[in-house]
Amino acid sequence: MKYVAIAEDLRARIARGELPPGARVPSTRRLATDHGVAMATAAKALTLLSQEGLVRAEPRSGTVVAGRDRRGGQRGLSREQLVRTAIAIADAEGLGALSMRGVAARLGVAAMAPYRYVRGKDELVLLMADAAFGERGYPAKPSGDWRERLTLGGRTLWSLFRRHPWLAQLGPITRPLPLRNLAVHGEWALSALSELGVDAATLCNLHVLFFGHIQGMAVHLEREQNALASSGLTEEDWMDHQGPAVAAVAAGHPTFTRMLADLTETGYDLVLDDIFELGMRALLDGLALRFGR
């Protein structure tokens, strides 16, 4: 049953600490969208977890994770718990909503308690990013040619950006983050690209190009979340509302107008996953042609 699978996924996230006590659980609407199910199915998953005592309804906050230790009171705070709580906030509300005071409130500790583990928000965000990039890795013994390995690397990074949309917002590609777990992804891509037989400068440029495609698409994930939160309009609602204005702008541009007419007739959904895959294939095709591989 689909609602059981959704409940199992949330249960595992709670067990791993990704959703600590007090953290807001994804809403029924979010679960329905993420899992491609009806709202009623998503609601049944939350009801099941509520019956198990894992989540509870909180006024003005929605559904949150229930406290795990009802006999022993609040658990001792740790850096890992701090980081996981901050990740949960950023995942649900965006990096702009993250604050040291907010993390402390979510954990139910004094406002200054997190400063015993990190110097401030900047350090906390770096720890969050390192933890997030470390959630997925690669086979100890790589297999396949350079293209297959780059495809795996690209899809792995895309899945992490999908899971944590705020990751793509951390900084420009010209200022790489000094993160151990991000270096794992870098080494995987560089080892594949090195088979093209290029010099060090070209190798670096190709890696920036590769990562830039992924990050460049991923920056729109959190932007869409923010747009939805601020306007209350889904992508479809926004396009329906803006349709006449877009058509007016396209007037006088025959190719633009013809494309819009065709899309209106056939139907079209802008899916970032599909565009990411299209871009990845085009990039790899170009590398194969340029370097004779």
Side-chain angles (χ1 to χ4, degrees):
M1 299 181 184
K2 291 185 177 180
Y3 79 92
V4 174
I6 296 173
E8 288 177 350
D9 178 64
L10 290 173
R11 197 181 292 115
R13 293 177 63 187
I14 293 171
R16 291 195 301 267
E18 293 180 19
L19 293 174
R24 187 163 60 185
V25 176
S27 66
T28 302
R29 184 179 298 277
R30 177 67 181 271
L31 289 173
T33 300
D34 289 349
H35 294 273
V37 298
M39 295 275 284
T41 301
K44 287 181 67 175
L46 294 181
T47 299
L48 179 60
L49 294 180
S50 178
Q51 292 171 347
E52 295 174 357
L54 289 176
V55 302
R56 68 174 187 273
E58 191 80 8
R60 296 184 300 277
S61 296
T63 302
V64 301
V65 178
R68 296 181 186 178
D69 188 358
R70 297 182 179 179
R71 295 170 299 175
Q74 182 184 322
R75 299 181 303 165
L77 185 62
S78 67
R79 174 180 277 198
E80 182 179 359
Q81 186 182 6
L82 183 69
V83 170
R84 283 297 167 191
T85 300
I87 288 175
I89 293 173
D91 286 350
E93 304 175 38
L95 201 59
L98 182 69
S99 68
M100 297 292 284
R101 184 176 294 275
V103 174
R106 178 70 63 87
L107 289 166
V109 298
M112 297 303 293
Y115 290 95
R116 294 200 296 267
Y117 302 90
V118 295
R119 290 186 294 271
K121 180 179 176 180
D122 289 345
E123 182 182 2
L124 177 58
V125 170
L126 287 178
L127 291 171
M128 292 163 55
D130 200 35
F133 280 120
E135 290 177 357
R136 293 197 63 185
Y138 302 96
K141 295 183 177 180
S143 61
D145 62 13
W146 67 271
R147 181 172 184 136
E148 291 171 314
R149 300 206 303 278
L150 272 182
T151 299
L152 175 59
R155 288 174 176 168
T156 298
L157 280 168
W158 179 252
S159 72
L160 293 176
F161 283 127
R162 261 295 195 188
R163 183 182 298 175
H164 307 294
W166 50 272
L167 270 178
Q169 313 292 330
L170 295 185
I173 200 168
T174 51
R175 302 188 181 193
L177 299 173
L179 304 176
R180 293 184 182 275
N181 286 322
L182 180 57
V184 172
H185 299 281
E187 174 63 23
W188 180 267
L190 286 167
S191 66
L193 287 166
S194 66
E195 292 190 8
L196 298 176
V198 297
D199 59 47
T202 303
L203 181 62
C204 182
N205 289 342
L206 291 179
H207 181 237
V208 172
L209 178 65
F210 168 76
F211 189 83
H213 166 63
I214 305 166
Q215 184 188 39
M217 292 300 303
V219 295
H220 301 287
L221 297 172
E222 186 172 86
R223 290 179 181 178
E224 174 55 32
Q225 284 186 348
N226 293 339
L228 175 61
S230 62
S231 69
L233 298 175
T234 66
E235 297 172 57
E236 293 79 9
D237 294 337
W238 188 88
M239 288 302 298
D240 289 342
H241 182 72
Q242 294 291 332
V246 173
V249 170
H253 303 285
T255 307
F256 198 170
T257 301
R258 185 168 61 254
M259 180 192 72
L260 290 179
D262 289 346
L263 293 179
T264 300
E265 182 178 346
T266 61
Y268 173 74
D269 292 322
L270 194 158
V271 181
L272 289 180
D273 294 303
D274 295 342
I275 298 175
F276 160 74
E277 287 288 345
L278 175 64
M280 179 67 68
R281 288 195 299 271
L283 175 60
L284 298 184
D285 286 344
L287 291 179
L289 182 64
R290 172 66 176 81
F291 297 100
R293 298 299 177 100

